[in-house]
Amino acid sequence: MGSISCPVSLCSQPKSLKAGYRSRSSSRMLDVRCTVGEVVAESSVASATEPLLINAVRGEKVERPPVWLMRQAGRYMKSYQMICERYPSFRERSENVDLVVEISLQPWKVFKPDGVILFSDILTPLPGMNIPFDILKGKGPVIHDPLRTANDVAGVTEFVPEESVPYVGEALSILREEVKGEAAVLGFVGAPFTLASYVVEGGSSKHFSKIKNLAFSQPKVLHALLQKFTDSMSRYIKYQADNGAQAVQIFDSWATELSPVDFEEFSLPYLKEIVASVKKTHPHLPLILYASGSGGLLERLRLTGVDVVSLDWTVDMWEGRRRLGLDVAVQGNIDPGVLFGSKEFITKRIHDTIKKAGSDKHILNLGHGIVVGTPEENVAHFFEVAKDIRYSNLSS
């Protein structure tokens, strides 16, 4: 028997799924009763009816850490490059159901990761909020009419996923059918501050001067924009869960450009609000939070209430676990550059990371997405080594 400190989010299948899906966990109920501060016991035996990743996040005993990689479907794969030749527009590839499913399943068919993440983009909801954007080859995302005034923000409309991105729900449903419970299907969204950064800056940025100008000279305008993104992303997460996503990752890639005090004003409250809103209707949906370069904010990331904090490689895994507390699951955190090393080096780093993370509540992943040009055979080796590991065989 293991113990957990309540309150805690127990992870299982979404409560509400599209017609044709039935919760696999319906026959297995956890008898957990708790009040704030109370420590209760729960079964530590992994459920055979849930994917390994979900069991690991829940804190159940698993024989090895689940493994998947950010950007595992992407430009390092020859099969993806062939699709890009036929469909050069990223938006076409990410907004066509058949292409989204095909690309999402490419790494699944080759490597069999424990998580199959939807092929999409954090900016996908923007047109549904009256914010046109494009993704240009060699330049990345471009918002042709950046939002920098109160009038601009007033023009941002309510996001209704069912109407604006029906292909996302359809693709998630198909992925659940294709994967057949052998891996967790993962959705994802952008966090409010990161989305605001893109639409205020007009795209990617090095110095984030425009959004900081807005934050420090017209904070009310920025807060109004952040609130709109908060409401929309809360709705989007629920929509993904209702259509088959078994966990959702929130990307707050640019929040670490903020000082701790500014993070507490312009990011943390909105992340908390998203988590609280989702947990109210989907209490068992695991939420993962990733923010690159977050070493200075780890204790604050924990305050969001997410189930999993994804660490980048600049944080030592053991130190990250110590700072977050063992009741919070962790994901990561191997340097993507390691995949350019020898197979022996890759193996050594995998073992080192898993030993530091321990055998409880850890998802093996990179500390960022796979880098373009990464040898595909090294990715295959990464998965082979990770899936062959058994906690019982690891030397201390």
Side-chain angles (χ1 to χ4, degrees):
M1 299 291 286
S3 64
I4 55 174
S5 295
C6 292
V8 67
S9 297
L10 298 173
C11 314
S12 64
Q13 301 225 164
K15 288 176 62 180
S16 176
L17 290 174
K18 215 171 185 181
Y21 287 113
R22 181 175 62 85
S23 174
R24 291 172 173 231
S25 60
S26 59
S27 61
R28 178 182 177 274
M29 299 298 293
L30 291 175
D31 183 18
V32 179
R33 298 177 300 277
C34 62
T35 57
V36 176
E38 181 185 0
V39 177
V40 298
E42 68 169 344
S43 172
S44 61
V45 179
S47 169
T49 61
E50 297 278 22
L52 177 67
L53 187 148
I54 302 301
N55 284 329
V57 173
R58 182 186 287 131
E60 295 182 352
K61 186 176 181 180
V62 293
E63 62 180 6
R64 65 171 176 86
V67 56
W68 71 281
L69 302 180
M70 287 183 274
R71 292 183 187 164
Q72 65 188 15
R75 288 173 288 176
Y76 73 98
M77 295 190 75
K78 292 180 181 178
S79 55
Y80 179 75
Q81 294 169 13
M82 293 173 62
I83 288 181
C84 292
E85 292 176 1
R86 286 183 286 146
Y87 305 95
S89 167
F90 178 86
R91 287 198 58 183
E92 182 179 8
R93 296 192 298 272
S94 63
E95 296 176 14
N96 176 290
V97 173
D98 293 336
L99 292 177
V100 169
V101 171
E102 181 180 354
I103 295 169
S104 300
L105 290 175
Q106 284 180 341
W108 164 250
K109 292 177 179 178
V110 178
F111 309 121
K112 286 293 187 289
D114 296 302
V116 174
I117 191 164
L118 176 77
F119 179 76
S120 186
D121 192 88
I122 63 171
L123 302 185
T124 294
L126 294 188
M129 301 180 71
N130 194 33
I131 309 173
F133 84 100
D134 203 354
I135 296 181
L136 305 180
K137 187 175 181 179
K139 189 172 184 179
V142 176
I143 288 80
H144 297 288
D145 296 306
L147 311 183
R148 294 170 186 166
T149 68
N151 285 338
D152 293 338
V153 173
V156 176
T157 57
E158 179 183 8
F159 178 59
V160 182
E162 296 84 354
E163 298 176 2
S164 300
V165 292
Y167 50 87
V168 168
E170 187 175 347
L172 285 167
S173 297
I174 295 172
L175 289 175
R176 280 292 292 273
E177 292 176 345
E178 292 289 333
V179 175
K180 301 183 188 303
E182 296 177 38
V185 172
L186 310 175
F188 69 92
V189 303
F193 182 80
T194 291
L195 294 175
S197 295
Y198 278 110
V199 304
V200 172
E201 295 286 339
S204 300
S205 177
K206 288 185 177 180
H207 304 294
F208 297 87
S209 58
K210 294 179 178 63
I211 192 165
K212 289 188 177 183
N213 183 341
L214 188 64
F216 303 145
S217 65
Q218 302 180 72
K220 289 184 179 180
V221 175
L222 180 54
H223 279 300
L225 179 60
L226 292 170
Q227 188 60 57
K228 288 193 173 187
F229 279 132
T230 297
D231 297 339
S232 294
M233 293 308 104
S234 298
R235 191 176 298 113
Y236 194 26
I237 291 173
K238 296 171 187 178
Y239 170 76
Q240 293 186 27
D242 289 343
N243 284 276
Q246 293 165 286
V248 176
Q249 180 154 311
I250 303 169
F251 285 89
D252 206 354
S253 307
W254 303 131
T256 52
E257 294 294 328
L258 294 168
S259 68
V261 67
D262 294 321
F263 175 82
E264 290 178 355
E265 179 176 354
F266 296 108
S267 181
L268 181 58
Y270 299 102
L271 291 170
K272 283 182 173 182
E273 186 174 337
I274 288 174
V275 173
S277 177
V278 172
K279 291 299 184 180
K280 187 176 296 184
T281 57
H282 298 69
H284 305 309
L285 178 71
L287 296 177
I288 306 168
L289 176 60
Y290 174 77
S292 56
S294 60
L297 298 173
L298 285 190
E299 289 81 2
R300 290 169 174 83
L301 296 186
R302 171 191 169 89
L303 298 177
T304 61
V306 294
D307 304 280
V308 186
V309 172
S310 191
L311 303 174
D312 75 357
W313 70 93
T314 64
V315 178
D316 179 81
M317 175 57 78
W318 183 86
E319 292 179 1
R321 297 231 70 169
R322 177 182 59 81
R323 291 171 60 189
L324 288 167
L326 295 179
D327 57 325
V328 177
V330 292
Q331 179 174 270
N333 69 331
I334 294 174
D335 184 340
V338 167
L339 294 180
F340 288 96
S342 67
K343 289 181 170 57
E344 292 76 16
F345 183 67
I346 294 170
T347 300
K348 181 178 182 297
R349 284 298 177 90
I350 291 172
H351 281 257
D352 179 64
T353 300
I354 292 174
K355 288 177 183 177
K356 287 182 175 180
S359 60
D360 189 47
K361 292 190 174 186
H362 175 225
I363 302 169
L364 182 64
N365 206 315
L366 300 178
H368 202 283
I370 297 179
V371 178
V372 178
T374 298
E376 198 166 338
E377 61 269 23
N378 285 4
V379 178
H381 178 74
F382 183 96
F383 278 109
E384 289 170 6
V385 171
K387 297 186 76 172
D388 281 345
I389 284 176
R390 295 297 178 268
Y391 285 127
S392 58
N393 295 334
L394 284 177
S395 58
S396 57

